[in-house]
Amino acid sequence: MSSATITTAKPFGALAEFGNPAELYHACEKVRDEGFSVWDAHTPFPVHGLEDAMGAPRSKVPWISLVFALFGGTIPAFALQSWVAVEGSRQVISGKPMLSWQAFIPVTFEVSVLLGAVGALLGMLMINRLPQLYHSLFRSERFERFSDDKFFISIESRDPKFDAEGTVAFLQSLGSSHVELVED
Amino acid sequence: MSTKVYTETHQLSDPVAERAPLVLGGLDFHDVTEIVAKPVEDKIQPLWVLAFLGALTLLGVYGISVAWLVWEGTGIWGLNNPVDWGWAIVNFVFWVGIGHAGTLISAILFLFRQKWRTGINRAAEAMTLFAVACALSFPTIHVGRIWLLPWVFPIPNQMWVWPNFRSPLLWDVFAVSIYGTVSLLFWYTGLIPDLATMRDRAKGKIARFAYGFFALGWRGSHRHWINYESAYGILAGLSTPLVLSVHTIVSFDFAVSQIPGWHTTIFPPYFVAGAVFSGFAMVLTLMIPTRVIFGLKELITTRHIENMAKIILLTGSMVGYAYAMEFFIAWYSGNPYEQFAFINRMFGPYWWAYATMISCNVITPQFFWIKKFRTDPVIVFVLSIFVNIGMWFERFVITITLSADYLPSSWGYYTPTIWDLGCLIGSFGLFFTLFLLFVKFLPMVAIAEVKAVMPQANPHWDGYHHDDHDDEPGNDEEAA
């Protein structure tokens, strides 16, 4: 690496470390109230109630799952079975009517569940923009511990209120044990 | 180590007084990571190698049995008229049943907010996947000409032949394969954050790449966690009716037929209860030794074992009730064929199978009324093995009901061959091989979930307002 230090013209953002969920929670409330918009918290596990402290919106994953289940599962599965019974290969089974729809419910149900589950997982990944194997935050060595026992707040430089020195000072004032600028 | 300070000064008890804590030993978040990552990161133990070789040997037995079956045909089994569903179906239902505990733990207990599930859900879900893999192998090889298996799926073909969607056997294809797939998705979703933990700890390049690849670049973003938790909740919500539907549909394989002893409406609930019963028994059989060998006693505690024993008691009693009710209904129906089928089960040529089933499934769980038995891992382990045996025999008893139907002239006695035995033992090889690979390469306890149920995970936990460990308000321990 030729460029010497992290204080480049345009860093990715500021990263502040906290020791426990309570400190993080109160810090998030303050970042929210300060009016930052492009920022995030990074935690080893979902901290309950943190979405309120962050002012983060509700998830849209359920809608994606519903659309998958209904239009990928329920309707096509039922339609295919009905078509097979009435048109595709007409067979009289136990003297039942051709469109014996009751018999098609189990498969319709199972396929709906399958597509709903696929929709939930894919929807979650899509909204989260994952997989994203590379991310600027991974440049920080300390950040590795987000998956162990440390709690982080990152404020990105894209945020209109971001200015390198001011934001670092602000994060330090929240009681962070370590604040750094992360290279983009 | 700021979190350590809290844990040493405050008792980590369950917020609901008098309940045993879910995590013992005053651990902090980092300790949990260490405990779970240790078996994966340690050098391979000789005991594991030995067990793995044993499992591989059994898997080899399965390979040979299946190869010979494919070459020669299903005639190598003891199947014949009238029992044309032999051990293949017995084993299938046995393994599917075992595969019910994992999703029950991860989905239904999740919806009921049973936090104790976090210690055992990962391993139980893995066990579910492997049991379903074993289960799926049996109908697959039972079709005989396995290269024609794609015909069970509705794939357009030049013969214009479609599967019969009115058949429970076809419902079964969908139910079990979708159950396996959804369980895999659910399990993988739960694994993503823990794979990130393993990635961030990995020393070797290959391990770092492999864990990193499957962790999808997870960075613990709380905006991601919100969507993640939503997806996880949906998966749990979808899996709950799914897990109940699977064994219901498996029971339709029997109940929709006209065979006396099979054509009963009690089958769906009775199969589901039996599946949960056998599944929890298998979880206990696996987890009791595992927690000792891999040092997980603080995460998989006596409370977990006791809770599972209680579920075994409940579902075992339901199964016992179902056995009794079947007899009552056979008598009450006034149908002589139905009555004969049940009397023949108890006193007929297979009385020994019926006796094994009753003693293992009805009597064994009743020991769990006694707290001393529920909380003694050795006793629970031994009893869980009896339940496993009993539930295999239950499926055997049901299947060989075929040996005596309406026409006495068509009665017969079913005897398995060495190849039936090879397939049964071999499927255990497949199961244990997969399970041993799992405990070696993946975190067998859900790290993120366990951390989330520890008292200090709550940002409003009392311990955080006591500042007696430090003269400054909790946020600058590392100022020096």
Side-chain angles (χ1 to χ4, degrees), chain B residues 114-400:
Chain B
Q114 293 294 305
K115 289 181 174 177
W116 59 274
R117 69 183 265 291
T118 56
I120 50 171
N121 69 334
R122 171 70 43 73
E125 284 172 45
M127 184 211 72
T128 284
L129 288 174
F130 307 148
V132 171
C134 291
L136 276 172
S137 73
F138 280 102
T140 305
I141 59 176
H142 197 190
V143 299
R145 292 179 283 175
I146 61 169
W147 50 94
L148 298 182
L149 196 69
W151 287 6
V152 303
F153 296 106
I155 302 166
N157 56 75
Q158 79 281 11
M159 296 171 294
W160 211 240
V161 173
W162 292 88
N164 172 19
F165 283 106
R166 298 185 186 92
S167 164
L169 294 180
L170 189 66
W171 304 346
D172 219 19
V173 171
F174 281 87
V176 180
S177 60
I178 287 175
Y179 179 59
T181 313
V182 173
S183 302
L184 180 68
L185 294 181
F186 199 6
W187 184 66
Y188 177 65
T189 305
L191 262 173
I192 292 172
D194 290 359
L195 289 171
T197 304
M198 300 310 293
R199 169 197 69 197
D200 294 340
R201 294 172 56 90
K203 303 257 165 22
K205 254 202 160 134
I206 298 171
R208 196 174 178 88
F209 177 79
Y211 289 125
F213 183 81
F214 287 104
L216 308 176
W218 183 257
R219 52 182 191 275
S221 155
H222 212 274
R223 293 181 197 275
H224 290 183
W225 274 120
I226 294 167
N227 294 316
Y228 175 93
E229 285 208 290
S230 170
Y232 199 83
I234 291 168
L235 286 169
L238 288 172
S239 300
T240 298
L242 181 68
V243 68
L244 299 177
S245 80
V246 175
H247 230 53
T248 299
I249 290 177
V250 169
S251 83
F252 287 165
D253 293 348
F254 300 89
V256 175
S257 75
Q258 308 287 323
I259 306 291
W262 284 9
H263 191 65
T264 57
T265 49
I266 201 174
F267 260 32
Y270 147 45
F271 267 53
V272 171
V276 174
F277 180 53
S278 67
F280 271 86
M282 188 57 98
V283 173
L284 285 167
T285 308
L286 289 176
M287 292 319 286
I288 289 174
T290 306
R291 73 194 267 273
V292 178
I293 295 169
F294 294 107
L296 298 169
K297 279 186 176 177
E298 285 142 327
L299 303 180
I300 303 168
T301 64
T302 313
R303 176 174 162 195
H304 292 94
I305 295 176
E306 189 187 356
N307 282 355
M308 285 192 274
K310 283 178 183 167
I311 291 179
I312 287 192
L313 172 60
L314 172 71
T315 50
S317 302
M318 285 159 80
V319 167
Y321 169 81
Y323 294 159
M325 189 48 75
E326 277 187 321
F327 266 80
F328 172 75
I329 292 295
W331 168 76
Y332 189 67
S333 68
N335 179 338
Y337 296 103
E338 192 77 10
Q339 289 168 359
F340 170 78
F342 283 93
I343 290 173
N344 195 43
R345 266 186 197 173
M346 195 184 263
F347 301 110
Y350 297 100
W351 65 270
W352 47 271
Y354 193 81
T356 312
M357 171 185 105
I358 291 288
S359 43
C360 290
N361 290 352
V362 181
I363 300 171
T364 307
Q366 301 308 319
F367 284 107
F368 289 140
W369 285 106
I370 301 160
K371 192 179 172 87
K372 197 162 172 298
F373 291 167
R374 288 199 304 266
T375 50
D376 185 331
V378 178
I379 291 176
V380 175
F381 178 72
V382 173
L383 292 179
S384 77
I385 288 177
F386 277 109
V387 173
N388 288 322
I389 296 170
M391 284 310 290
W392 189 87
F393 271 93
E394 180 197 292
R395 279 62 177 255
F396 180 71
V397 165
I398 291 171
T399 305
I400 48 92

Side-chain angles (χ1 to χ4, degrees), chain A residues 14-133:
Chain A
L15 183 68
E17 181 178 319
F18 296 87
N20 65 52
E23 290 172 12
L24 178 82
Y25 187 91
H26 298 303
C28 279
E29 287 178 322
K30 287 179 188 135
V31 176
R32 174 196 66 193
D33 296 342
E34 193 69 17
F36 285 101
S37 49
V38 192
W39 65 285
D40 211 337
H42 303 267
T43 56
F45 52 83
V47 176
H48 285 279
L50 197 63
E51 52 275 16
D52 299 330
M54 290 171 70
R58 283 176 71 96
S59 175
K60 292 188 178 63
V61 170
W63 294 107
I64 299 176
S65 175
L66 181 70
V67 168
F68 265 71
L70 214 55
F71 296 102
T74 316
I75 295 171
F78 191 81
L80 175 72
Q81 293 178 84
S82 308
W83 177 82
V84 165
V86 176
E87 202 57 47
S89 89
R90 289 170 72 87
Q91 293 172 51
V92 178
I93 310 257
S94 317
K96 294 192 178 72
M98 286 300 166
L99 191 67
S100 50
W101 62 270
Q102 295 89 339
F104 308 151
I105 298 302
V107 171
T108 306
F109 167 77
E110 301 290 337
V111 177
S112 306
V113 166
L114 175 68
L115 268 289
V118 169
L121 180 58
L122 287 186
M124 184 270 281
L125 294 177
M126 213 164 64
I127 297 177
N128 290 347
R129 290 167 192 269
L130 294 174
Q132 183 184 357
L133 296 189

Side-chain angles (χ1 to χ4, degrees), chain B residues 1 53 81 91 187 247 277 376 436:
Chain B
M1 295 295 292
L53 288 177
N81 272 335
N91 298 341
W187 184 66
H247 230 53
F277 180 53
D376 185 331
L436 286 164

